[in-house]
Amino acid sequence: MAKLGFTDPAFQTSTRPPQAPTSYAAQTYPGGAAAGQQSPGLVPPPASHLEGLYSAPSADAVDTGRMTVEDTIHKTLASFGVLLLGAVVGWWATLANPGMGLGIAIVGALAGFVLGLVNSFKRMPGAGLVLAYAGAEGLFIGAFSLIMEQVFPGIVMQATLATLAVVGVTLALFSSGKVRTSPRMTKIVMIAALGYLVFSLLNFGFMIFGGPASDLAWGMRSVEIMGIPLGVIIGILAVLLAAYMLVMDFEFVQNGARNGAPRKLGWKASFGIVATVIWIYVEILRVIAILRGND
């Protein structure tokens, strides 16, 4: 860090006698001074130049490359737009090739999982990575949703409305200031989310390669505990975890905009919101499918 220059003339006491104030008639600004006339003092700009400066809009956070809530909302909407586009492709591809529906869903899920890990560990992922993640997850969502819809008609609308309700209530509570995160609760939620991830990966592996409860529709999620499917219990807990993580996402946006974080960080925030909403939708869709499958 450079030192303050105390030898700068601004810190010196001048011993020169004071000079007479310069007349504004003697200008060095273009058109302000007469030919051959000298202007020893500071020169004010013309009135037209000042009027232009005052009438020009002030630079906002986006102009200075800083993160804003509005800009992050635009990035999040763009991500959801790509997600919906991918879902339409996955839906119609599965409709045209019913036998490939599960394969399309698995490819989209695996691609989304890998891109999700990259975006999670990358400090400031760019638009390409975040939008690619949204497209891959959209492919999975579209194919998986159609498979569920063909087995349980109307389930997609039920899951969509329930997801919107959870997101809307969470956003309303956060906006009102009634819900906030805490360091201790965040640690608990992150540990629980990690445990959920391990369980889900193990259950998926058992269903594909064989293992405990691999002959059941949802693997270990179909196992009943006191008459209640384990998948319903875990699904409800997962939705609560995701709702808390959605609050974390909102706080990330709020704090980033408040502290003047780099604008590019808005893509990281949009990734977090999209990933959390996808988690909520998939869990609700699965819980409804398990409940309807037991009827």
Side-chain angles (χ1 to χ4, degrees):
M1 181 176 179
K3 296 180 181 179
L4 288 174
F6 289 102
T7 58
D8 190 282
F11 292 96
Q12 301 297 321
T13 302
S14 177
T15 57
R16 292 178 298 173
Q19 298 179 356
T22 303
S23 171
Y24 285 118
Q27 302 284 344
T28 57
Y29 218 88
Q37 193 173 12
Q38 295 182 353
S39 301
L42 297 175
V43 181
S48 60
H49 182 71
L50 289 175
E51 290 176 359
L53 291 176
Y54 283 122
S55 61
S58 58
D60 57 15
V62 172
D63 294 329
T64 57
R66 296 301 178 184
M67 181 179 177
T68 65
V69 174
E70 293 78 9
D71 184 64
T72 304
I73 290 175
H74 295 159
K75 289 179 170 61
T76 304
L77 291 176
S79 299
F80 273 117
V82 174
L83 175 72
L84 292 176
L85 181 61
V88 170
V89 173
W91 181 286
W92 286 107
T94 303
L95 193 63
N97 306 278
M100 298 178 59
L102 184 59
I104 294 172
I106 292 176
V107 169
L110 291 177
F113 180 73
V114 173
L115 289 169
L117 289 177
V118 173
N119 288 328
S120 296
F121 289 102
K122 194 174 179 62
R123 182 174 177 271
M124 286 195 291
L129 283 173
V130 175
L131 295 179
Y133 165 80
E137 286 292 340
L139 196 66
F140 158 69
I141 291 295
F144 184 61
S145 296
L146 180 58
I147 293 172
M148 292 295 99
E149 183 70 20
Q150 290 173 339
V151 179
F152 307 106
I155 191 173
V156 171
M157 181 60 67
Q158 294 173 342
T160 300
L161 292 177
T163 301
L164 292 175
V166 172
V167 174
V169 169
T170 304
L171 180 58
L173 292 175
F174 175 79
S175 300
S176 65
K178 295 181 179 179
V179 174
R180 287 293 184 270
T181 63
S182 67
R184 182 176 182 180
M185 189 62 188
T186 298
K187 290 180 181 179
I188 295 174
V189 169
M190 297 307 294
I191 293 173
L194 181 60
Y196 168 86
L197 177 61
V198 172
F199 168 81
S200 297
L201 291 176
L202 288 175
N203 189 52
F204 179 76
F206 291 153
M207 292 176 64
I208 297 296
F209 303 107
S214 59
D215 57 329
L216 300 178
W218 298 98
M220 290 186 291
R221 295 177 188 268
S222 298
V223 176
E224 294 188 356
I225 299 177
M226 294 186 294
I228 303 175
L230 181 61
V232 173
I233 300 173
I234 293 179
I236 293 174
L237 292 176
V239 171
L240 294 176
L241 291 176
Y244 183 89
M245 295 182 73
L246 196 59
V247 175
M248 293 172 59
D249 295 329
F250 294 153
E251 285 189 350
F252 182 82
V253 176
Q254 187 181 68
N255 294 332
R258 182 182 298 159
N259 297 326
R263 184 182 180 187
K264 190 177 180 181
L265 203 61
W267 285 112
K268 179 91 170 183
S270 68
F271 159 71
I273 294 173
V274 170
T276 306
V277 173
I278 291 173
W279 186 16
I280 293 173
Y281 172 78
V282 172
E283 286 301 326
I284 292 177
L285 187 69
R286 186 159 39 207
V287 167
I288 296 175
I290 293 174
L291 291 174
R292 291 181 60 174
N294 285 349
D295 290 344

